[in-house]
mmCIF file with all atom_site columns, all heavy atoms in Angstrom:
data_model
loop_
_atom_site.group_PDB
_atom_site.id
_atom_site.type_symbol
_atom_site.label_atom_id
_atom_site.label_alt_id
_atom_site.label_comp_id
_atom_site.label_asym_id
_atom_site.label_entity_id
_atom_site.label_seq_id
_atom_site.pdbx_PDB_ins_code
_atom_site.Cartn_x
_atom_site.Cartn_y
_atom_site.Cartn_z
_atom_site.occupancy
_atom_site.B_iso_or_equiv
_atom_site.pdbx_formal_charge
_atom_site.auth_seq_id
_atom_site.auth_comp_id
_atom_site.auth_asym_id
_atom_site.auth_atom_id
_atom_site.pdbx_PDB_model_num
ATOM 1   N N   . LEU P 1 77 ? 59.591 167.723 134.644 1.00 0.00 ? 1134 LEU P N   1
ATOM 2   C CA  . LEU P 1 77 ? 59.488 166.418 133.955 1.00 0.00 ? 1134 LEU P CA  1
ATOM 3   C C   . LEU P 1 77 ? 60.701 166.203 133.010 1.00 0.00 ? 1134 LEU P C   1
ATOM 4   O O   . LEU P 1 77 ? 61.064 165.062 132.721 1.00 0.00 ? 1134 LEU P O   1
ATOM 5   C CB  . LEU P 1 77 ? 58.217 166.350 133.130 1.00 0.00 ? 1134 LEU P CB  1
ATOM 6   C CG  . LEU P 1 77 ? 56.910 166.393 133.961 1.00 0.00 ? 1134 LEU P CG  1
ATOM 7   C CD1 . LEU P 1 77 ? 55.697 166.441 133.077 1.00 0.00 ? 1134 LEU P CD1 1
ATOM 8   C CD2 . LEU P 1 77 ? 56.832 165.178 134.893 1.00 0.00 ? 1134 LEU P CD2 1
ATOM 9   N N   . TYR P 1 78 ? 61.292 167.306 132.562 1.00 0.00 ? 1135 TYR P N   1
ATOM 10  C CA  . TYR P 1 78 ? 62.464 167.161 131.728 1.00 0.00 ? 1135 TYR P CA  1
ATOM 11  C C   . TYR P 1 78 ? 63.648 166.697 132.563 1.00 0.00 ? 1135 TYR P C   1
ATOM 12  O O   . TYR P 1 78 ? 63.743 167.009 133.755 1.00 0.00 ? 1135 TYR P O   1
ATOM 13  C CB  . TYR P 1 78 ? 62.814 168.483 131.045 1.00 0.00 ? 1135 TYR P CB  1
ATOM 14  C CG  . TYR P 1 78 ? 61.810 168.886 129.974 1.00 0.00 ? 1135 TYR P CG  1
ATOM 15  C CD1 . TYR P 1 78 ? 61.025 170.007 130.143 1.00 0.00 ? 1135 TYR P CD1 1
ATOM 16  C CD2 . TYR P 1 78 ? 61.658 168.131 128.829 1.00 0.00 ? 1135 TYR P CD2 1
ATOM 17  C CE1 . TYR P 1 78 ? 60.120 170.381 129.157 1.00 0.00 ? 1135 TYR P CE1 1
ATOM 18  C CE2 . TYR P 1 78 ? 60.737 168.480 127.859 1.00 0.00 ? 1135 TYR P CE2 1
ATOM 19  C CZ  . TYR P 1 78 ? 59.986 169.615 128.017 1.00 0.00 ? 1135 TYR P CZ  1
ATOM 20  O OH  . TYR P 1 78 ? 59.063 169.954 127.048 1.00 0.00 ? 1135 TYR P OH  1
ATOM 21  N N   . GLU P 1 79 ? 64.572 166.017 131.942 1.00 0.00 ? 1136 GLU P N   1
ATOM 22  C CA  . GLU P 1 79 ? 65.713 165.452 132.658 1.00 0.00 ? 1136 GLU P CA  1
ATOM 23  C C   . GLU P 1 79 ? 66.996 166.113 132.268 1.00 0.00 ? 1136 GLU P C   1
ATOM 24  O O   . GLU P 1 79 ? 67.282 166.301 131.077 1.00 0.00 ? 1136 GLU P O   1
ATOM 25  C CB  . GLU P 1 79 ? 65.829 163.929 132.373 1.00 0.00 ? 1136 GLU P CB  1
ATOM 26  C CG  . GLU P 1 79 ? 64.551 163.176 132.796 1.00 0.00 ? 1136 GLU P CG  1
ATOM 27  C CD  . GLU P 1 79 ? 64.528 161.751 132.269 1.00 0.00 ? 1136 GLU P CD  1
ATOM 28  O OE1 . GLU P 1 79 ? 65.482 161.358 131.580 1.00 0.00 ? 1136 GLU P OE1 1
ATOM 29  O OE2 . GLU P 1 79 ? 63.554 161.049 132.539 1.00 0.00 ? 1136 GLU P OE2 1
ATOM 30  N N   . ASN P 1 80 ? 67.778 166.539 133.274 1.00 0.00 ? 1137 ASN P N   1
ATOM 31  C CA  . ASN P 1 80 ? 69.121 167.133 133.039 1.00 0.00 ? 1137 ASN P CA  1
ATOM 32  C C   . ASN P 1 80 ? 69.086 168.337 132.156 1.00 0.00 ? 1137 ASN P C   1
ATOM 33  O O   . ASN P 1 80 ? 70.020 168.609 131.375 1.00 0.00 ? 1137 ASN P O   1
ATOM 34  C CB  . ASN P 1 80 ? 70.085 166.085 132.478 1.00 0.00 ? 1137 ASN P CB  1
ATOM 35  C CG  . ASN P 1 80 ? 70.232 164.878 133.369 1.00 0.00 ? 1137 ASN P CG  1
ATOM 36  O OD1 . ASN P 1 80 ? 70.292 165.006 134.597 1.00 0.00 ? 1137 ASN P OD1 1
ATOM 37  N ND2 . ASN P 1 80 ? 70.310 163.707 132.770 1.00 0.00 ? 1137 ASN P ND2 1
ATOM 38  N N   . GLY P 1 81 ? 67.984 169.097 132.189 1.00 0.00 ? 1138 GLY P N   1
ATOM 39  C CA  . GLY P 1 81 ? 67.900 170.330 131.421 1.00 0.00 ? 1138 GLY P CA  1
ATOM 40  C C   . GLY P 1 81 ? 67.641 170.109 129.944 1.00 0.00 ? 1138 GLY P C   1
ATOM 41  O O   . GLY P 1 81 ? 67.607 171.060 129.146 1.00 0.00 ? 1138 GLY P O   1
ATOM 42  N N   . SER P 1 82 ? 67.496 168.887 129.511 1.00 0.00 ? 1139 SER P N   1
ATOM 43  C CA  . SER P 1 82 ? 67.285 168.582 128.099 1.00 0.00 ? 1139 SER P CA  1
ATOM 44  C C   . SER P 1 82 ? 65.789 168.744 127.754 1.00 0.00 ? 1139 SER P C   1
ATOM 45  O O   . SER P 1 82 ? 64.895 168.543 128.592 1.00 0.00 ? 1139 SER P O   1
ATOM 46  C CB  . SER P 1 82 ? 67.741 167.155 127.795 1.00 0.00 ? 1139 SER P CB  1
ATOM 47  O OG  . SER P 1 82 ? 67.344 166.790 126.460 1.00 0.00 ? 1139 SER P OG  1
ATOM 48  N N   . ILE P 1 83 ? 65.507 169.120 126.484 1.00 0.00 ? 1140 ILE P N   1
ATOM 49  C CA  . ILE P 1 83 ? 64.101 169.212 126.051 1.00 0.00 ? 1140 ILE P CA  1
ATOM 50  C C   . ILE P 1 83 ? 63.607 167.862 125.565 1.00 0.00 ? 1140 ILE P C   1
ATOM 51  O O   . ILE P 1 83 ? 62.424 167.710 125.213 1.00 0.00 ? 1140 ILE P O   1
ATOM 52  C CB  . ILE P 1 83 ? 63.961 170.266 124.908 1.00 0.00 ? 1140 ILE P CB  1
ATOM 53  C CG1 . ILE P 1 83 ? 64.738 169.822 123.656 1.00 0.00 ? 1140 ILE P CG1 1
ATOM 54  C CG2 . ILE P 1 83 ? 64.364 171.620 125.384 1.00 0.00 ? 1140 ILE P CG2 1
ATOM 55  C CD1 . ILE P 1 83 ? 64.459 170.706 122.473 1.00 0.00 ? 1140 ILE P CD1 1
ATOM 56  N N   . ASN P 1 84 ? 64.468 166.856 125.544 1.00 0.00 ? 1141 ASN P N   1
ATOM 57  C CA  . ASN P 1 84 ? 64.059 165.517 125.123 1.00 0.00 ? 1141 ASN P CA  1
ATOM 58  C C   . ASN P 1 84 ? 63.564 164.733 126.319 1.00 0.00 ? 1141 ASN P C   1
ATOM 59  O O   . ASN P 1 84 ? 64.209 164.618 127.327 1.00 0.00 ? 1141 ASN P O   1
ATOM 60  C CB  . ASN P 1 84 ? 65.234 164.783 124.467 1.00 0.00 ? 1141 ASN P CB  1
ATOM 61  C CG  . ASN P 1 84 ? 65.750 165.477 123.235 1.00 0.00 ? 1141 ASN P CG  1
ATOM 62  O OD1 . ASN P 1 84 ? 64.997 166.166 122.539 1.00 0.00 ? 1141 ASN P OD1 1
ATOM 63  N ND2 . ASN P 1 84 ? 67.018 165.287 122.913 1.00 0.00 ? 1141 ASN P ND2 1
ATOM 64  N N   . LEU P 1 85 ? 62.361 164.191 126.165 1.00 0.00 ? 1142 LEU P N   1
ATOM 65  C CA  . LEU P 1 85 ? 61.819 163.314 127.199 1.00 0.00 ? 1142 LEU P CA  1
ATOM 66  C C   . LEU P 1 85 ? 62.249 161.883 126.929 1.00 0.00 ? 1142 LEU P C   1
ATOM 67  O O   . LEU P 1 85 ? 62.262 161.447 125.798 1.00 0.00 ? 1142 LEU P O   1
ATOM 68  C CB  . LEU P 1 85 ? 60.273 163.392 127.195 1.00 0.00 ? 1142 LEU P CB  1
ATOM 69  C CG  . LEU P 1 85 ? 59.663 164.752 127.565 1.00 0.00 ? 1142 LEU P CG  1
ATOM 70  C CD1 . LEU P 1 85 ? 58.184 164.737 127.292 1.00 0.00 ? 1142 LEU P CD1 1
ATOM 71  C CD2 . LEU P 1 85 ? 59.932 165.079 129.034 1.00 0.00 ? 1142 LEU P CD2 1
ATOM 72  N N   . SER P 1 86 ? 62.615 161.190 127.982 1.00 0.00 ? 1143 SER P N   1
ATOM 73  C CA  . SER P 1 86 ? 63.006 159.781 127.813 1.00 0.00 ? 1143 SER P CA  1
ATOM 74  C C   . SER P 1 86 ? 61.751 158.988 127.462 1.00 0.00 ? 1143 SER P C   1
ATOM 75  O O   . SER P 1 86 ? 60.604 159.386 127.722 1.00 0.00 ? 1143 SER P O   1
ATOM 76  C CB  . SER P 1 86 ? 63.616 159.226 129.101 1.00 0.00 ? 1143 SER P CB  1
ATOM 77  O OG  . SER P 1 86 ? 62.667 159.175 130.128 1.00 0.00 ? 1143 SER P OG  1
ATOM 78  N N   . LEU P 1 87 ? 61.970 157.853 126.831 1.00 0.00 ? 1144 LEU P N   1
ATOM 79  C CA  . LEU P 1 87 ? 60.850 156.993 126.407 1.00 0.00 ? 1144 LEU P CA  1
ATOM 80  C C   . LEU P 1 87 ? 60.059 156.556 127.641 1.00 0.00 ? 1144 LEU P C   1
ATOM 81  O O   . LEU P 1 87 ? 58.836 156.467 127.610 1.00 0.00 ? 1144 LEU P O   1
ATOM 82  C CB  . LEU P 1 87 ? 61.386 155.766 125.652 1.00 0.00 ? 1144 LEU P CB  1
ATOM 83  C CG  . LEU P 1 87 ? 60.364 155.003 124.805 1.00 0.00 ? 1144 LEU P CG  1
ATOM 84  C CD1 . LEU P 1 87 ? 59.704 155.913 123.785 1.00 0.00 ? 1144 LEU P CD1 1
ATOM 85  C CD2 . LEU P 1 87 ? 61.059 153.819 124.094 1.00 0.00 ? 1144 LEU P CD2 1
ATOM 86  N N   . GLU P 1 88 ? 60.764 156.296 128.733 1.00 0.00 ? 1145 GLU P N   1
ATOM 87  C CA  . GLU P 1 88 ? 60.097 155.888 129.957 1.00 0.00 ? 1145 GLU P CA  1
ATOM 88  C C   . GLU P 1 88 ? 59.180 156.993 130.496 1.00 0.00 ? 1145 GLU P C   1
ATOM 89  O O   . GLU P 1 88 ? 58.053 156.732 130.922 1.00 0.00 ? 1145 GLU P O   1
ATOM 90  C CB  . GLU P 1 88 ? 61.156 155.520 130.991 1.00 0.00 ? 1145 GLU P CB  1
ATOM 91  C CG  . GLU P 1 88 ? 60.577 155.057 132.341 1.00 0.00 ? 1145 GLU P CG  1
ATOM 92  C CD  . GLU P 1 88 ? 61.638 154.779 133.390 1.00 0.00 ? 1145 GLU P CD  1
ATOM 93  O OE1 . GLU P 1 88 ? 62.830 154.930 133.061 1.00 0.00 ? 1145 GLU P OE1 1
ATOM 94  O OE2 . GLU P 1 88 ? 61.278 154.402 134.495 1.00 0.00 ? 1145 GLU P OE2 1
ATOM 95  N N   . THR P 1 89 ? 59.698 158.272 130.438 1.00 0.00 ? 1146 THR P N   1
ATOM 96  C CA  . THR P 1 89 ? 58.897 159.389 130.902 1.00 0.00 ? 1146 THR P CA  1
ATOM 97  C C   . THR P 1 89 ? 57.656 159.604 130.026 1.00 0.00 ? 1146 THR P C   1
ATOM 98  O O   . THR P 1 89 ? 56.559 159.866 130.521 1.00 0.00 ? 1146 THR P O   1
ATOM 99  C CB  . THR P 1 89 ? 59.734 160.662 130.924 1.00 0.00 ? 1146 THR P CB  1
ATOM 100 O OG1 . THR P 1 89 ? 60.849 160.491 131.768 1.00 0.00 ? 1146 THR P OG1 1
ATOM 101 C CG2 . THR P 1 89 ? 58.926 161.848 131.396 1.00 0.00 ? 1146 THR P CG2 1
ATOM 102 N N   . VAL P 1 90 ? 57.828 159.494 128.717 1.00 0.00 ? 1147 VAL P N   1
ATOM 103 C CA  . VAL P 1 90 ? 56.733 159.645 127.795 1.00 0.00 ? 1147 VAL P CA  1
ATOM 104 C C   . VAL P 1 90 ? 55.611 158.623 128.105 1.00 0.00 ? 1147 VAL P C   1
ATOM 105 O O   . VAL P 1 90 ? 54.435 158.986 128.174 1.00 0.00 ? 1147 VAL P O   1
ATOM 106 C CB  . VAL P 1 90 ? 57.207 159.496 126.335 1.00 0.00 ? 1147 VAL P CB  1
ATOM 107 C CG1 . VAL P 1 90 ? 56.026 159.402 125.354 1.00 0.00 ? 1147 VAL P CG1 1
ATOM 108 C CG2 . VAL P 1 90 ? 58.090 160.629 125.933 1.00 0.00 ? 1147 VAL P CG2 1
ATOM 109 N N   . ARG P 1 91 ? 55.999 157.404 128.282 1.00 0.00 ? 1148 ARG P N   1
ATOM 110 C CA  . ARG P 1 91 ? 55.005 156.348 128.541 1.00 0.00 ? 1148 ARG P CA  1
ATOM 111 C C   . ARG P 1 91 ? 54.336 156.517 129.896 1.00 0.00 ? 1148 ARG P C   1
ATOM 112 O O   . ARG P 1 91 ? 53.146 156.240 130.062 1.00 0.00 ? 1148 ARG P O   1
ATOM 113 C CB  . ARG P 1 91 ? 55.684 154.972 128.420 1.00 0.00 ? 1148 ARG P CB  1
ATOM 114 C CG  . ARG P 1 91 ? 56.034 154.639 126.976 1.00 0.00 ? 1148 ARG P CG  1
ATOM 115 C CD  . ARG P 1 91 ? 56.831 153.366 126.859 1.00 0.00 ? 1148 ARG P CD  1
ATOM 116 N NE  . ARG P 1 91 ? 57.107 153.072 125.435 1.00 0.00 ? 1148 ARG P NE  1
ATOM 117 C CZ  . ARG P 1 91 ? 57.918 152.074 125.014 1.00 0.00 ? 1148 ARG P CZ  1
ATOM 118 N NH1 . ARG P 1 91 ? 58.519 151.300 125.883 1.00 0.00 ? 1148 ARG P NH1 1
ATOM 119 N NH2 . ARG P 1 91 ? 58.087 151.897 123.718 1.00 0.00 ? 1148 ARG P NH2 1
ATOM 120 N N   . SER P 1 92 ? 55.115 156.956 130.914 1.00 0.00 ? 1149 SER P N   1
ATOM 121 C CA  . SER P 1 92 ? 54.496 157.170 132.231 1.00 0.00 ? 1149 SER P CA  1
ATOM 122 C C   . SER P 1 92 ? 53.515 158.334 132.198 1.00 0.00 ? 1149 SER P C   1
ATOM 123 O O   . SER P 1 92 ? 52.456 158.301 132.866 1.00 0.00 ? 1149 SER P O   1
ATOM 124 C CB  . SER P 1 92 ? 55.572 157.429 133.267 1.00 0.00 ? 1149 SER P CB  1
ATOM 125 O OG  . SER P 1 92 ? 56.279 158.648 133.031 1.00 0.00 ? 1149 SER P OG  1
ATOM 126 N N   . ILE P 1 93 ? 53.825 159.382 131.441 1.00 0.00 ? 1150 ILE P N   1
ATOM 127 C CA  . ILE P 1 93 ? 52.905 160.538 131.298 1.00 0.00 ? 1150 ILE P CA  1
ATOM 128 C C   . ILE P 1 93 ? 51.623 160.080 130.610 1.00 0.00 ? 1150 ILE P C   1
ATOM 129 O O   . ILE P 1 93 ? 50.515 160.446 131.017 1.00 0.00 ? 1150 ILE P O   1
ATOM 130 C CB  . ILE P 1 93 ? 53.569 161.687 130.501 1.00 0.00 ? 1150 ILE P CB  1
ATOM 131 C CG1 . ILE P 1 93 ? 54.691 162.308 131.345 1.00 0.00 ? 1150 ILE P CG1 1
ATOM 132 C CG2 . ILE P 1 93 ? 52.533 162.736 130.105 1.00 0.00 ? 1150 ILE P CG2 1
ATOM 133 C CD1 . ILE P 1 93 ? 55.469 163.389 130.630 1.00 0.00 ? 1150 ILE P CD1 1
#
Side-chain angles (χ1 to χ4, degrees):
L1134 297 174
Y1135 290 115
E1136 301 168 0
N1137 301 322
S1139 171
I1140 63 171
N1141 298 332
L1142 296 170
S1143 67
L1144 197 57
E1145 181 183 359
T1146 301
V1147 170
R1148 290 174 178 172
S1149 66
I1150 291 175

